[in-house]
Every structure is written in structure tokens, then in C-alpha cells.
Amino acid sequence: QVQLVESGGGLVRPGGSLRLSCAASGSNFDRYTMAWYRQAPENQRELVAVSFAGGSTDYADSVKGRFAISRDNAKNTVYLQMNSLKPEDTTVYYCNVRNRDGSYWGQGTQVTVSS
């Protein structure tokens, strides 16, 4: 069973930056897919960034060039560096880990971009 603890959300002005962290329990995280999602309309979650076990990454078009996902396997932690934040980035962000046994979600952390 994997438990995820998120942190780093908060209030930031447009153009500012935040760094989200998600610490996971367990082992063998170097073999897991890690990702960040965010709350979208109609109670859906959209994929923002994904980090595959092999080292490749991918991003939603809306955040390319502004956000960067990274992982520290020794700390069982995945990060989302968010730069050049816009008001439309305001929502709840969730980390996600996938392994052989299932998909696991963090509790969510609020990001608010406002002047």
C-alpha cells in the first residue's frame, strides 16, 4: 500500500513560482510512474506532467515551458516546479503513483494564483 503526502501549495502572484512536493511510502519507487494532475471542470482531473521510470517525461500543452516534473528516488519524492504561474493555473493539484498493484492519489494541495 502506497501513501502519498503532498506539500508546497499556497498563494502566489501571477508570474511567480511554487514547488510542489509529494513524498511516498514504500519501496522500488525507481520502477514506478509518477505524475501530477489537477482538478478540472466537471470534477475531472487532467494530467499535468508525468515522469516515467525510464526517465522520460511529458507535459500538458498548457504548461510546457513553465512546469517541470522531477523525482528523487532516494527520497521517494516527486516534485513539480511551477514557474510563470497564471491565474488559470488556480486549482487543486494531486500527485499520483502507479505501480503493479494499482494507482494511488495524494490528498491534494491548493494552488491559488492571484494578484
Side-chain angles (χ1 to χ4, degrees):
Q1 189 72 33
V2 176
Q3 289 83 43
L4 307 176
V5 179
E6 301 172 343
S7 62
L11 174 65
V12 65
R13 293 184 179 275
S17 298
L18 286 173
R19 188 194 192 205
L20 306 183
S21 299
C22 178
S25 65
S27 61
N28 297 318
F29 284 91
D30 58 325
R31 300 168 58 187
Y32 299 167
T33 298
M34 300 184 178
W36 289 94
Y37 290 75
R38 64 187 180 186
Q39 194 73 51
E42 306 300 326
N43 204 34
Q44 301 296 307
R45 293 181 184 181
E46 65 173 343
L47 180 64
V48 175
V50 59
S51 172
F52 297 100
S56 62
T57 60
D58 200 11
Y59 299 90
D61 288 341
S62 59
V63 307
K64 286 181 179 177
R66 300 189 298 122
F67 292 8
I69 189 171
S70 62
R71 60 199 291 165
D72 186 337
N73 290 322
K75 296 182 178 179
N76 297 337
T77 301
V78 61
Y79 305 94
L80 185 67
Q81 179 67 45
M82 303 185 293
N83 300 320
S84 301
L85 283 161
K86 305 174 180 179
E88 49 263 47
D89 296 319
T90 296
T91 189
V92 179
Y93 287 71
Y94 301 87
C95 64
N96 174 266
V97 173
R98 288 185 176 184
N99 64 15
R100 177 181 56 85
D101 298 317
S103 179
Y104 305 91
W105 294 94
Q107 80 283 358
T109 185
Q110 176 71 44
V111 171
T112 302
V113 185
S114 176
S115 60

